[in-house]
């Protein structure tokens, strides 16, 4: 295997291990992994539509619909019209939802901060920027590849 392939394998193994850690933590905390993702996304205080969360967090539409309905039933989320996109609904944490998100995420944030402090101390402040850059480059390459395949299939 060439060096770039080895680096990609290490990166994918590392990100898969991190995803697995989030999954295990969610399950042990009594919340589904996708509910954890939704709470995490909404706990930044910014407006989010279901469509945005699906795209940014790579959650299928049917899954996010199920999670949103469960959170609505529990009284954690309300839907409000988005001012700039009338056909979409903004997901809003209710006061109970905000309290639940804070309670659910508090311990996770502490662990994340410990890990980020160690990573930043070792690799510097550009650690996250490097990951964002890699992600953007990979998504662009993937989009180009898929576009090329679609063109070839339509001919």
């Amino acid at each position: 295997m060439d060096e770039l392939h080895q680096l990609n394998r290490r990166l994918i193994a590392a990100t898969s291990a991190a995803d697995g850690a989030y999954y295990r933590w969610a399950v042990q905390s009594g919340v589904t992994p996708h509910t954890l993702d939704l709470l995490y996304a909404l706990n930044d205080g910014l407006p989010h539509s279901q469509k945005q969360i699906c795209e940014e967090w790579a959650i299928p539409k049917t899954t996010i619909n199920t999670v949103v309905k469960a959170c609505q039933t529990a009284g954690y989320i309300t839907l409000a019209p988005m001012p700039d996109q009338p056909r979409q609904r903004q997901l809003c944490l209710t006061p109970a939802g905000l309290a639940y998100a804070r309670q659910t995420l508090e311990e996770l944030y502490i662990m994340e901060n410990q890990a980020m402090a160690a990573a930043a101390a070792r690799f510097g402040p550009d650690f996250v920027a490097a990951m964002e850059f890699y992600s953007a480059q990979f998504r662009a390459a993937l989009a180009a590849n898929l576009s090329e395949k679609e063109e070839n299939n339509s001919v």
Side-chain angles (χ1 to χ4, degrees), residues 134-148:
Y134 175 87
S135 177
Q137 293 299 307
F138 181 69
R139 285 180 287 137
L142 179 66
N145 179 275
L146 292 175
S147 177
E148 183 179 308

Side-chain angles (χ1 to χ4, degrees), residues 26-48:
V27 170
Q28 289 177 350
S29 297
V31 65
T32 68
H34 289 302
T35 299
L36 177 67
D37 291 342
L38 179 62
L39 292 173
Y40 203 107
L42 294 177
N43 199 41
D44 65 358
L46 300 173
H48 298 278

